[in-house]
Amino acid sequence: NDFGEIFRMEELLAAQTFRGELSLEHLLRLHLRVVDDGSKKEEQELNHPAANADVDAIVKYLDNKLNIADPNTGVTYALKMASEFKKSVQIVSKVLPAWDKGENLVGDVLILEKDLSCQFFLLACRRFETEKDMANGRIDNETLVMWEQLLFTRDLHENYYKLRYTDNFQGLFAEFLKDNSDVKDIISKYLADGFRFWDYTKNLQGIVRDCLKINKNQILNNAFFWWKHKMIYALYKYEKSIEAELREVVKGTISVEHILPQNWYGIRDGKDLSGEILKSMEDDAWKRFHEGIDACINGIGNLLLITPSENTSKSNYHPKDKIYDPPYSGGSYKNHDCNRGQWEDPQKWKLIIEERGERIYKYMLDNLVGAPYKKEETLSNPDGQTE
């Protein structure tokens, strides 16, 4: 009966994913890593089967659980595993989409890191009897914000590459399973100090802020090639913050569009105002101009997220001729459609790109990195009294 219900939900599971496909096989692998038959408790148990286990590895893992000396124990395992996996399929196909309607951060963190966030929710949702419990603040907005910031910042710094072992999400998930543990407190601890609690990652958000400040020029001028996965998510979140509707775009294959085309030199040959202005430049002025534009053409301020088909059809258009049709609405898409005329004058191109880039960069620092979470400390005044 449990497996019958699981397969009845398979189509719903495929339809409700927030990013790419999520098959039953994929979800089963994630379920076995953190839940299995409900018996997983220790950190070392939360790393099997492997994160990239194929079908044969999953079958072998289950076969070892089922074919043991006592057949009754194997049957008991099968019954419990079926019941627990059904619950996991319900969480991902029903609970999370319904929860996301009131709190978009649920879907956002699945878009950012599908596998890690899926495991997080498989554990976190089991702590509560109903979806109503979650909506009433047991997993509140602040907790989800911290989870998003941890996922965004955990590896976005130079110290990350100095560590022999980098992440330890199994350790974090193991803490969730302890009696009376608080999800918010656990995440805040990792967000404060990273996954290795010594000087390399202490003050994780401060380290990442410093790294992004050092690499600001990379973001403003080369985001298309620098940490592209993170930059795509920053673009998505920034556009959402200014009321763009992008969920349908990021659900499938994402294409990164250059508003001013990478191959923009042909605009100089045009017979419109832009072409006339560019043709009128003296050689030295033209050299300085195209070097300046080439320097920022891949900057985050010149990038938008669109579908591959749209990118194919519009990629080499002059910005003044580009119209971003649905499924995009709001945000920079609406702003561009209302102000396409500003791209007529090539002398404004660099400023347009830089100003939007600065806004996205600031949003990234303020929201996806955030201010450091500091543990409460006991302070003493000059009289020796604690405050």
Side-chain angles (χ1 to χ4, degrees):
N1 287 336
D2 284 335
F3 275 108
E5 182 63 23
I6 287 168
F7 284 105
R8 278 192 290 273
M9 290 187 286
E10 184 173 14
E11 188 174 333
L12 182 63
L13 177 68
Q16 296 286 18
T17 54
F18 296 93
R19 179 81 185 95
E21 296 181 355
L22 183 61
S23 64
L24 276 180
E25 173 200 320
H26 191 157
L27 181 57
L28 175 60
R29 182 172 67 246
L30 300 176
H31 167 88
L32 291 174
R33 284 176 61 80
V34 295
V35 180
D36 202 339
D37 64 340
S39 62
K40 292 209 169 185
K41 297 294 180 186
E42 302 298 327
E43 180 179 330
Q44 61 268 25
E45 297 174 344
L46 299 174
N47 205 24
H48 303 286
N52 61 348
D54 59 14
V55 175
D56 290 340
I58 293 172
V59 170
K60 183 178 180 180
Y61 174 90
L62 290 169
D63 197 48
N64 290 336
K65 294 276 190 173
L66 292 166
N67 292 299
I68 54 181
D70 181 2
N72 290 326
T73 303
V75 171
T76 300
Y77 169 81
L79 292 170
K80 288 183 177 178
M81 210 289 287
S83 176
E84 288 294 339
F85 186 48
K86 180 180 74 172
K87 186 182 295 184
S88 289
V89 178
Q90 288 173 330
I91 287 170
V92 178
S93 65
K94 295 181 178 180
V95 174
L96 296 184
W99 187 8
D100 178 72
K101 290 179 181 177
E103 177 51 83
N104 267 190
L105 271 170
V106 172
D108 287 352
V109 296
L110 284 159
I111 289 166
L112 175 57
E113 292 283 359
K114 180 169 66 177
D115 285 8
L116 289 171
S117 290
C118 189
Q119 292 173 80
F120 165 73
F121 284 123
L122 291 182
L123 291 174
C125 291
R126 275 176 165 76
R127 299 167 67 93
F128 314 113
E129 291 297 322
T130 66
E131 182 188 344
K132 185 177 180 181
D133 290 334
M134 291 181 281
N136 285 339
R138 296 200 184 183
I139 301 179
D140 58 13
N141 174 269
E142 185 180 358
T143 303
L144 291 173
V145 167
M146 288 193 293
W147 177 247
E148 179 184 49
Q149 290 175 340
L150 178 62
L151 292 175
F152 190 80
T153 59
R154 46 116 180 182
D155 55 354
L156 192 56
H157 55 89
E158 293 175 357
N159 292 345
Y160 185 82
Y161 303 102
K162 296 177 183 178
L163 306 178
R164 182 179 176 189
Y165 301 104
T166 47
D167 294 334
N168 182 24
F169 280 97
Q170 289 73 36
L172 183 151
F173 293 151
E175 292 194 45
F176 286 179
L177 297 169
K178 295 177 182 176
D179 293 339
N180 301 317
S181 63
D182 185 277
V183 173
K184 184 183 295 184
D185 288 346
I186 294 167
I187 296 174
S188 67
K189 178 178 70 175
Y190 283 86
L191 190 55
D193 293 331
F195 287 87
R196 305 295 162 188
F197 305 122
W198 57 70
D199 289 345
Y200 274 126
T201 57
K202 202 168 185 66
N203 184 23
L204 174 64
Q205 288 165 298
I207 290 172
V208 175
R209 289 183 73 87
D210 290 344
C211 181
L212 292 183
K213 287 177 180 177
I214 291 171
N215 288 284
K216 183 177 181 180
N217 186 62
Q218 287 274 36
I219 297 167
L220 295 183
N221 296 312
N222 199 39
F224 186 69
F225 298 104
W226 189 82
W227 272 103
K228 196 169 183 179
H229 169 62
K230 304 284 188 182
M231 297 300 103
I232 285 174
Y233 190 72
L235 280 166
Y236 163 71
K237 291 292 289 189
Y238 169 75
E239 292 300 335
K240 277 193 68 179
S241 75
I242 55 173
E243 301 183 344
E245 186 55 58
L246 279 178
R247 274 289 176 86
E248 285 304 308
V249 176
V250 299
K251 186 174 182 178
T253 302
I254 301 171
S255 189
V256 181
E257 147 85 340
H258 288 73
I259 303 172
L260 178 67
Q262 287 177 297
N263 300 318
W264 61 271
Y265 286 9
I267 294 175
R268 196 184 193 198
D269 299 325
K271 297 181 180 180
D272 56 7
L273 179 60
S274 296
E276 293 301 320
I277 292 173
L278 294 175
K279 279 186 287 212
S280 68
M281 292 181 180
E282 299 291 340
D283 289 346
D284 287 347
W286 165 247
K287 183 174 183 294
R288 288 193 301 271
F289 176 81
H290 80 68
E291 287 176 350
I293 296 301
D294 286 347
C296 69
I297 196 78
N298 291 305
I300 201 165
N302 191 41
L303 306 179
L304 280 176
L305 305 181
I306 63 174
T307 64
S309 59
E310 281 282 291
N311 204 352
T312 300
S313 65
K314 291 186 170 66
S315 60
N316 290 319
Y317 282 22
H318 191 303
K320 68 180 177 60
D321 298 323
K322 289 183 177 182
I323 299 175
Y324 296 104
D325 302 312
Y328 330 104
S329 62
S332 295
Y333 305 90
K334 180 180 179 180
N335 179 272
H336 178 83
D337 288 342
C338 294
N339 298 284
R340 286 181 289 123
Q342 67 182 333
W343 288 92
E344 287 269 17
D345 184 355
Q347 302 288 6
K348 295 180 179 179
W349 290 354
K350 197 168 189 295
L351 181 62
I352 294 169
I353 293 170
E354 289 176 343
E355 287 183 343
R356 180 168 176 265
E358 289 282 357
R359 292 194 295 272
I360 300 170
Y361 175 78
K362 184 178 186 303
Y363 176 87
M364 192 188 320
L365 283 182
D366 293 347
N367 297 277
L368 298 180
V369 179
Y373 280 86
K374 295 182 180 178
K375 298 172 184 175
E376 293 183 7
E377 297 178 354
T378 302
L379 305 177
S380 297
N381 64 24
D383 297 325
Q385 299 296 315
T386 58
E387 295 180 348

